[in-house]
Amino acid sequence: MNSNHILETIHMIEKEKLDIRTITMGISLLDCCDTDGKRSRMKIYDKITNYAQNLVKVGEEIEKEYGVPIIHKRISVTPISLVAQTSNDTDYVAFAKILDDAAKAVGINFIGGFSALVHKGYSKGDKILINSIPEALSSTDVVCSSVNIGTTKAGINMDAVKDMGQIIKKTAFLTKDQDSIGCAKLVVFANAVDDNPFMAGAFHGVGEAESIINIGVSGPGVVKSALEKVRGKSFDEVCETIKQTAFKITRMGQLVGNEASKRLNVPFGIIDLSLAPTPAIGDSVGRILEEIGIESCGAPGTTAALALLNDAVKKGGVMASSRVGGLSGAFIPVSEDEGMIHAVKAGSLNLEKLEAMTCVCSVGLDMIAIPGDTPWETISGIIADEAAIGVINQKTTAVRLIPVHGKKIGDEVNFGGLLGSSPIMPVSQFSSSQFVNRGGRIPAPIHSFKN
């Protein structure tokens, strides 16, 4: 890098909120299987604390040496349903608690992988894990959970969709004293990926190496600042500007990933180049869309602007690194994005418009607070809609809804930290009950048959 590039990077960090959102260590727990649940949990604790003992220390060293903020250090593990089902346990809450203990022992922010993959049906362990989620998330602090209920190849498991609506409601109730925050640590996926470093949906896929380092970069503020210099210019210049900016952001992630991999003696996995916003002013994906020309996020043209942004970020990122993976693109969580929160309050953004936007963005309906009395059938219907978008369009989609116990439309909730705050958004008052209670499986789309 020449001196101008160095100065430019310093400016991006100091003035435009460029950061590395997370260093996430993936750890395989497949060799921790045991018929005795207690022995299995001892193996899990020992393996995590051994592999990740220096993760936080190395992350802090890289921060100081390169001057790059690394906001979180995280761990993802093999979906626990695969490990725990080899035991004779009939409840997996103890597995969640051992993950929590191990995470706290090494000092990380979150651990993901209290997960099940049920896109084509349930195994014994899947069912037990899903039933354990409410208590697991209400009795731990940093454990995150995810369930994959559909894929383009398999279709949508509507039995799981039905179950997850009820699980979300139970989780909201058990964490009602904390504004139902347990639901902020629970994601329902379609087409979940094995190498996602972002929470709450991270898990370490069975096809991954024994241990890897994945990097999640950020930088909405950097992109917005760059676009301010091309106001009134054509879309050609807008796209080129975003691509060049994404290239620079990704190169920073590549540097951090290489250093972390070398110092921890763990293979470098992927860079997830998603634009991950925060509640801070100047760090919003919603404000990028407005900079492109939308008066308020959610107005006509928003979906097209988001499609442009997402595509340009990916194009710039893949030129900067051969290790791009995970989700990669632009996240649109409501409570975690200052611009999105403002748009909801202004009345320009509603749940239906957000669903349309998820057709072209990286993930789905993310960190959306809804009335606590929302029926579970409505939540399941929303999950089914979002899964259909992912399955038909061969992309990852997800739902992280928070039915905040005791809150109604117009109230606000504050989750704190990166989780932010949000007004309670309205949902449809019409019932999905007969639809979600049919059960069974929605078949894979015709274009999935590619062998």
Side-chain angles (χ1 to χ4, degrees):
M1 296 178 72
N2 62 36
S3 57
N4 288 333
H5 288 158
I6 293 171
L7 291 172
E8 183 182 36
T9 302
I10 292 172
H11 179 79
M12 289 161 67
I13 292 169
E14 292 183 346
K15 304 295 184 182
E16 298 169 357
K17 301 186 185 299
L18 172 64
D19 61 57
I20 300 300
R21 185 55 46 86
T22 178
I23 295 178
T24 300
M25 176 180 281
I27 302 173
S28 172
L29 300 182
L30 291 175
D31 59 349
C32 298
C33 295
D34 199 296
T35 54
D36 183 286
K38 186 175 181 180
R39 281 201 303 264
S40 178
R41 291 189 289 275
M42 290 176 62
K43 292 178 185 178
I44 288 171
Y45 183 88
D46 290 344
K47 186 164 188 180
I48 291 172
T49 53
N50 178 42
Y51 275 63
Q53 59 182 319
N54 294 319
L55 178 60
V56 172
K57 175 186 173 185
V58 166
E60 291 173 346
E61 288 173 352
I62 294 172
E63 275 188 281
K64 291 176 183 177
E65 289 181 32
Y66 291 93
V68 183
I70 300 173
I71 306 304
H72 274 182
K73 293 82 180 175
R74 303 167 177 170
I75 292 171
S76 63
V77 298
T78 307
I80 289 298
S81 68
L82 301 178
V83 179
Q85 69 182 347
T86 62
S87 74
N88 295 318
D89 289 17
T90 57
D91 182 289
Y92 294 163
V93 174
F95 282 87
K97 289 181 177 179
I98 207 70
L99 292 178
D100 204 50
D101 290 344
K104 290 173 180 175
V106 297
I108 59 163
N109 302 98
F110 289 108
I111 185 165
F114 195 74
S115 306
L117 310 177
V118 298
H119 37 276
K120 208 168 182 179
Y122 285 117
S123 68
K124 179 195 75 170
D126 295 330
K127 195 71 174 177
I128 295 172
L129 183 132
I130 287 174
N131 288 335
S132 301
I133 287 173
E135 186 179 348
L137 295 183
S138 65
S139 59
T140 59
D141 296 314
V142 298
V143 172
C144 293
S145 180
S146 60
V147 178
N148 191 64
I149 51 84
T151 68
T152 298
K153 280 287 188 182
I156 304 171
N157 181 349
M158 290 301 293
D159 292 324
V161 169
K162 174 182 174 179
D163 289 343
M164 290 312 299
Q166 298 176 49
I167 291 298
I168 289 170
K169 286 284 287 187
K170 290 176 183 176
T171 304
F173 179 78
L174 289 182
T175 55
K176 62 182 179 179
D177 293 339
Q178 297 174 281
D179 286 326
S180 301
I181 198 169
C183 298
K185 299 181 287 180
L186 173 58
V187 182
V188 184
F189 274 116
N191 289 323
V193 296
D194 290 348
D195 54 6
N196 166 24
F198 285 102
M199 299 297 169
F203 62 86
H204 188 69
V206 294
E208 298 289 319
E210 179 73 4
S211 181
I212 54 171
I213 288 294
N214 293 328
I215 302 295
V217 299
S218 186
V222 181
V223 174
K224 183 181 182 300
S225 179
L227 289 176
E228 289 172 358
K229 300 178 177 64
V230 293
R231 284 179 180 169
K233 303 294 185 180
S234 72
F235 282 113
D236 303 274
E237 291 196 48
V238 170
C239 293
E240 191 62 30
T241 299
I242 296 170
K243 284 194 297 181
Q244 291 179 11
T245 307
F247 179 92
K248 297 170 187 174
I249 294 171
T250 307
R251 294 300 284 177
M252 180 61 72
Q254 179 88 21
L255 172 65
V256 171
N258 284 334
E259 281 298 312
S261 171
K262 181 173 64 177
R263 298 182 191 197
L264 291 166
N265 194 30
V266 173
F268 185 8
I270 59 94
I271 298 175
D272 187 318
L273 50 96
S274 297
L275 296 180
T278 73
I281 302 294
D283 201 25
S284 161
V285 170
R287 296 301 188 187
I288 296 175
L289 304 178
E290 292 171 359
E291 184 61 42
I292 292 173
I294 306 300
E295 181 181 4
S296 182
C297 184
T302 296
T303 305
L306 181 58
L308 177 157
L309 172 64
N310 211 53
D311 183 64
V313 165
K314 290 177 186 289
K315 288 174 177 173
V318 296
M319 288 298 293
S321 173
S322 60
R323 293 184 175 271
V324 171
L327 301 168
S328 292
F331 289 163
I332 52 170
V334 174
S335 76
E336 297 175 0
D337 187 306
E338 172 271 327
M340 295 289 180
I341 296 168
H342 180 269
V344 171
K345 291 180 177 179
S348 63
L349 187 61
N350 56 31
L351 196 61
E352 290 72 25
K353 183 61 177 181
L354 276 165
E355 184 179 295
M357 292 165 66
T358 65
C359 295
V360 299
C361 79
S362 289
V363 193
L365 296 170
D366 195 17
M367 285 302 293
I368 298 172
I370 60 176
D373 61 0
T374 303
W376 69 261
E377 294 94 338
T378 298
I379 294 172
S380 290
I382 294 170
I383 292 170
D385 283 344
E386 198 59 35
I389 290 172
V391 167
I392 294 296
N393 291 292
Q394 304 178 72
K395 66 185 291 293
T396 303
T397 51
V399 172
R400 188 161 47 149
L401 294 179
I402 308 166
V404 185
H405 191 82
K407 298 285 187 179
K408 59 184 185 300
I409 298 168
D411 292 340
E412 292 196 24
V413 61
N414 190 339
F415 301 113
L418 287 178
L419 297 177
S421 62
S422 176
I424 304 297
M425 296 182 67
V427 299
S428 175
Q429 297 303 299
F430 294 92
S431 177
S432 307
S433 180
Q434 291 188 40
F435 175 73
V436 299
N437 277 298
R438 286 181 178 271
R441 185 158 56 94
I442 294 179
I446 188 66
H447 59 256
S448 70
F449 305 117
K450 297 179 180 177
N451 279 324

